[in-house]
């Protein structure tokens, strides 16, 4: 049974979805404009296997407190740092934005993070959408978007359609309950504009992707072959830049493997790191 509670990390009130079990707890971090709800299927799979795990709403998403003004990345980093400080040793798993956050947390906390699993991480993307997003913040554009007189019902229909088309893999039927949480995240044109504005800000905070990323714990890079947002070449590039990491391509899977194939993701998490996985040598 998934338990829903609240917690406070770095002065941010948030929601926690958790399952009880043994082993080093697994912290699950969602992607941009997503929430802890994205991990419900994976949490169910981990509970069935008797593994402890929990998912949180990142600042500004789901039911967490809004973010403060200013750069986004430091707020996500401080939030996860506070979780690690409270819980101690953790295995980190992230999707998209959550994957980037998990990787950087592992680099900052080599003694506490025992393993990292990255699902469809975005920062090495160099396709046209990523390049355009890094050009500028588009403040005037998003201000105008927020003022468009589009009926709320039409916006919410569009959000459902966009999530079903771009987040899930081809042919995968979107979970109606998850679509409801997506609408909660983007309920109207003001929210559309805010999400777009922050997405470009986050991209501009990482113009070169990952800088001097050194991770000592085992790393598993997972990417869906049918990701319509971040191409699989990005996952292969991340794998190449992390010596000793492992790479798994999930055939036919979209940007959020935890939604398309939660049982398969659960199996990967339970099997990693293998007993023969080695911590990388990290230069001091």
């Amino acid at each position: 049974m998934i338990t829903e509670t609240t917690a406070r990390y770095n002065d941010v009130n948030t929601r926690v979805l958790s399952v009880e079990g043994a082993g080093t707890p697994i912290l699950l971090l969602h992607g941009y404009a997503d929430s802890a709800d994205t991990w419900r299927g994976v949490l169910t799979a981990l509970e069935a296997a008797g593994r402890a795990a929990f998912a949180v709403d990142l600042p500004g998403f789901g039911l967490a407190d809004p973010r403060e003004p200013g750069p986004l990345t430091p707020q996500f980093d401080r939030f996860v740092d506070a979780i690690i400080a409270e819980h101690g040793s953790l295995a980190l798993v992230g999707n998209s934005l959550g994957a980037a956050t998990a990787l950087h947390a592992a680099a900052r906390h080599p003694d506490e993070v025992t393993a990292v699993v990255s699902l469809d991480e975005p920062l090495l993307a160099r396709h046209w959408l990523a390049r355009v997003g890094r050009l500028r913040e588009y403040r005037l554009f998003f201000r105008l978007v927020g003022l468009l007189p589009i009926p709320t019902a039409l916006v919410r229909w569009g959000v459902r359609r966009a999530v079903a088309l771009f987040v899930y893999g081809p042919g995968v039927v979107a979970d109606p309950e998850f679509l409801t949480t997506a609408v909660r995240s983007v309920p109207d044109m003001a929210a559309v504009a805010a999400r777009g504005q922050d997405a470009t800000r986050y991209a501009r905070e990482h113009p070169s992707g990952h800088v001097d990323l050194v991770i000592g714990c085992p790393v598993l890079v997972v990417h869906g072959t049918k990701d319509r947002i971040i191409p699989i070449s990005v996952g292969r590039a991340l794998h190449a830049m992390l010596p000793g990491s492992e790479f798994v391509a999930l055939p036919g899977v979209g940007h959020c493997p935890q939604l398309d194939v939660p049982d398969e993701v659960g199996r990967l998490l339970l099997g990693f790191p293998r007993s023969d996985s080695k911590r990388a040598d990290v230069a001091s």
Side-chain angles (χ1 to χ4, degrees):
M1 176 181 174
I2 297 174
T3 300
E4 182 170 335
T5 57
T6 59
R8 187 175 179 85
Y9 300 112
N10 190 47
D11 295 327
V12 176
N13 295 306
T14 191
R15 177 181 56 147
V16 181
L17 303 180
S18 62
V19 294
E20 295 183 354
T24 301
I26 299 174
L27 170 59
L28 303 161
L29 301 173
H30 63 77
Y32 187 79
D34 204 342
S35 70
D37 294 297
T38 194
W39 298 109
R40 287 186 179 274
V42 173
L43 285 167
T44 299
L46 294 175
E47 181 186 33
R51 184 65 183 273
F54 63 107
V56 295
D57 288 337
L58 290 170
F61 298 124
L63 299 179
D65 284 346
R67 289 185 297 276
E68 298 293 330
L72 282 68
T73 301
Q75 298 185 58
F76 298 138
D77 289 347
R78 290 192 297 267
F79 180 80
V80 174
D81 287 348
I83 296 175
I84 294 172
E86 179 168 321
H87 291 271
S89 294
L90 294 171
L92 303 186
V93 179
N95 170 236
S96 196
L97 163 70
T101 303
L103 289 164
H104 294 162
R108 293 192 305 277
H109 300 279
D111 295 328
E112 292 88 1
V113 177
T114 62
V116 181
V117 179
S118 165
L119 306 178
D120 295 63
E121 192 280 334
L123 291 188
L124 295 180
R126 292 295 180 268
H127 55 325
W128 72 268
L129 182 60
R131 294 197 303 272
V132 169
R134 289 185 172 101
L135 286 176
R136 55 184 61 87
E137 290 190 9
Y138 305 100
R139 294 180 183 177
L140 177 59
F141 171 76
F142 285 114
R143 188 177 301 121
L144 294 174
V145 167
L147 295 174
L148 291 175
I150 298 178
T152 298
L154 183 57
V155 173
R156 296 180 178 184
W157 175 87
V159 169
R160 289 176 180 271
R161 290 292 300 159
V163 170
L165 179 61
F166 292 106
V167 173
Y168 285 86
V172 179
V173 178
D175 178 0
E177 292 186 8
F178 180 73
L179 293 181
T180 297
T181 69
V183 169
R184 182 183 65 201
S185 178
V186 191
D188 51 33
M189 287 307 297
V192 170
R195 295 303 188 212
Q197 178 79 84
D198 279 352
T200 59
R201 287 174 177 164
Y202 184 76
R204 287 170 59 80
E205 289 172 15
H206 300 276
S208 302
H210 302 283
V211 178
D212 299 326
L213 184 63
V214 179
I215 299 177
C217 66
V219 179
L220 175 62
V221 178
V222 180
H223 212 102
T225 64
K226 296 298 183 180
D227 188 334
R228 295 181 170 109
I229 299 175
I230 306 297
I232 192 172
S233 59
V234 174
R236 298 189 188 279
L238 178 63
H239 168 51
M241 74 175 290
L242 294 174
S245 64
E246 300 180 35
F247 181 78
V248 173
L250 295 178
V253 171
H255 185 62
C256 292
Q258 70 273 17
L259 294 176
D260 285 12
V261 287
D263 289 341
E264 174 67 8
V265 170
R267 185 188 67 79
L268 288 172
L269 302 189
L270 292 167
F272 185 80
R274 302 190 312 269
S275 59
D276 59 346
S277 294
K278 305 294 184 182
R279 292 181 70 96
D281 292 330
V282 181
S284 59

